[in-house]
Amino acid sequence: MPGTPPTRFVYLGPEGTFAEQALRTIPAAERGSRTPARSVGEALENVRAGEADSALVPLENSIGGAVGVTLDELAEGEPLVITREVILPVEFVLGARPGTEPDAIGTVAAHPQASTQCRNWLRANLPDAVVVDVLSNGAAAAGAATGEYDAAICAPIGATRHRLAVLADKIADHPDAVTRFALVSRPGPPPPPTGDDVTSLAVYIAHDRVGALLSVLMELAVRGVNLTRIESRPTGEALGRYVFFLDCTGHVADVRLGEALQGLRRVCAAVHFLGSYPRHRWLETGGERPVPPPPGLSDADYTDASAWLARLRTGELS
């Protein structure tokens, strides 16, 4: 039912991965049920089918960029909307069975992205160890726990879940790396505006029109709507046909963003609304207000201008 808090959550599994760690930062998910899915597509289909209320899936990484499969899944199939974002620091640890000495480590299990992000640390600290690719950070931790591998590069939650001793922490080459996750639900009224929100869109431009992408950007720029992210993905129709994924500042309830959406509807081949939701920073700071918009671009300015035009149309020239 619309407005009913979610209680059944699904996430990109397996257990003991960053996705589970991110999901457990959401109070409702900590209280509700959490089920791992084998893929992003499976997680989202569980929501579409009503088998789960919400799914947490990775959206982008500060090192690896956008997660293409998530964007593709959101653009296709029955509509889904983002209701929350979670930004999680990517802090890898080296875990092993208790009593393991670093000098005895001959094999290290790691997801390819994890070993890539810890390449320099491995070279400096375990130069002779063989890195074995596995399907996930959770699988790496499980393999180390059973003795299949001497150690694992995994998320802290994976080491805890499989009772591994942490031989080294924060071993990533980029200590400030983060992954952004999206909590996705079936369509319904968006969370109320906070004053520091993000609106996500999938925009299909008219490919036979000169300056089509520029016209999209202008609809946002002239209303002072900041574009914080733009990603292109092929539609699969033909070479050169793309869908553009946009993150904008503001909420669908805001006057200026609402006008921008109407403008996009007029100039684009199609616009898919993917949700308006609080920015992670707003949630972290407990509601700290963002920097106000420039003069002339606040909702109050738009309301005043609209009222002025209405008076002109009735013959009032004040």
Side-chain angles (χ1 to χ4, degrees), residues 10 46 82 185 222 224:
V10 63
N46 283 347
I82 301 171
S185 304
V222 298

Side-chain angles (χ1 to χ4, degrees), residues 217-230:
L217 303 180
M218 288 299 296
E219 292 292 339
L220 303 173
V222 298
R223 295 175 177 89
V225 176
N226 188 33
L227 182 64
T228 59
R229 183 177 69 92
I230 181 169

Side-chain angles (χ1 to χ4, degrees), residues 16-18 90-96 105 107-123 126 129-145 149-159 162 164-173:
T17 59
F18 286 111
V90 179
E91 297 181 352
F92 291 106
V93 303
L94 183 74
I105 295 176
T107 56
V108 178
H111 185 277
Q113 289 185 0
S115 58
T116 297
Q117 294 189 43
C118 301
R119 183 188 299 115
N120 292 337
W121 189 93
L122 287 168
R123 186 184 299 119
L126 295 173
V130 176
V131 178
V132 182
D133 290 347
V134 294
L135 293 177
S136 68
N137 297 311
Y149 310 105
D150 298 327
I153 295 175
C154 59
I157 191 175
H162 294 281
L164 299 178
V166 176
L167 304 185
D169 62 359
K170 298 182 179 179
I171 65 175
D173 299 334

Side-chain angles (χ1 to χ4, degrees), residues 195-267:
D196 192 9
D197 301 289
V198 181
T199 292
S200 295
L201 308 167
V203 172
Y204 297 79
I205 66 173
H207 295 277
D208 57 350
R209 183 184 304 167
V210 175
L213 180 56
L214 177 60
S215 66
V216 168
L217 303 180
M218 288 299 296
E219 292 292 339
L220 303 173
V222 298
R223 295 175 177 89
V225 176
N226 188 33
L227 182 64
T228 59
R229 183 177 69 92
I230 181 169
E231 300 278 350
S232 63
R233 295 286 299 168
T235 63
E237 299 171 353
L239 286 174
R241 297 298 179 92
Y242 294 92
V243 53
F244 293 87
F245 292 89
L246 312 180
D247 281 348
C248 312
T249 58
H251 192 280
V252 66
D254 297 342
V255 176
R256 58 179 171 151
L257 184 59
E259 286 195 4
L261 292 176
Q262 292 181 68
L264 293 177
R265 172 78 173 182
R266 292 194 304 268
V267 303

